[in-house]
Amino acid sequence: MTPTGGELLAMLSALANPLRLRIVAQLAGGRDYVSHLAREIGISRPLLHMHLQRLEAAGLIVGSLELSDDGKAMKYYEVVDFDLHLTASALAEAVRTLPPTDLEKT
């Protein structure tokens, strides 16, 4: 499925950050929970949450709450199966779905 212009912008914007690229790369190896992922990446959990929210909003990852054996709620994240091919024709198709900007209206 070819992303719309808005979806493509959200995906590219989310991936245009080195930490978010590292998060996606880490999750490409399998799902992980927040505390472990923060240790693996080497960032604080609050900062990780901010980046995870951006990636999830772009549809690149998905999170789910699970209970551990001792009853603690743990949030796991995993990569959504996406296949993004950037070609000139794909970009042209995505642009056709973008709403006109204020400059294009005048």
Side-chain angles (χ1 to χ4, degrees):
M1 182 173 140
T2 304
T4 65
E7 291 167 342
L8 181 61
L9 286 173
M11 292 172 82
L12 293 175
S13 176
L15 292 171
N17 178 285
L19 282 175
R20 288 193 288 270
L21 281 178
R22 290 183 67 200
I23 292 166
V24 171
Q26 184 72 29
L27 292 174
R31 69 188 201 115
D32 204 352
Y33 62 98
V34 172
S35 294
H36 185 259
L37 188 56
R39 285 191 303 273
E40 289 294 311
I41 304 275
I43 61 175
S44 69
R45 286 189 324 217
L47 181 58
L48 176 63
H49 274 289
M50 182 192 72
H51 289 295
L52 290 169
Q53 288 173 347
R54 183 79 179 264
L55 290 165
E56 193 168 25
L60 298 168
I61 65 170
V62 64
S64 60
L65 275 176
E66 296 181 19
L67 287 179
S68 67
D69 292 337
D70 61 358
K72 287 176 41 179
M74 299 175 68
K75 185 119 187 207
Y76 280 85
Y77 285 90
E78 60 188 311
V79 174
V80 172
D81 188 25
F82 68 91
D83 186 10
L84 186 59
H85 290 277
L86 292 180
T87 63
S89 61
L91 291 176
E93 186 175 329
V95 165
R96 284 192 276 275
T97 67
L98 289 173
T101 64
D102 290 341
L103 292 175
E104 292 172 326
K105 291 178 186 176
T106 59

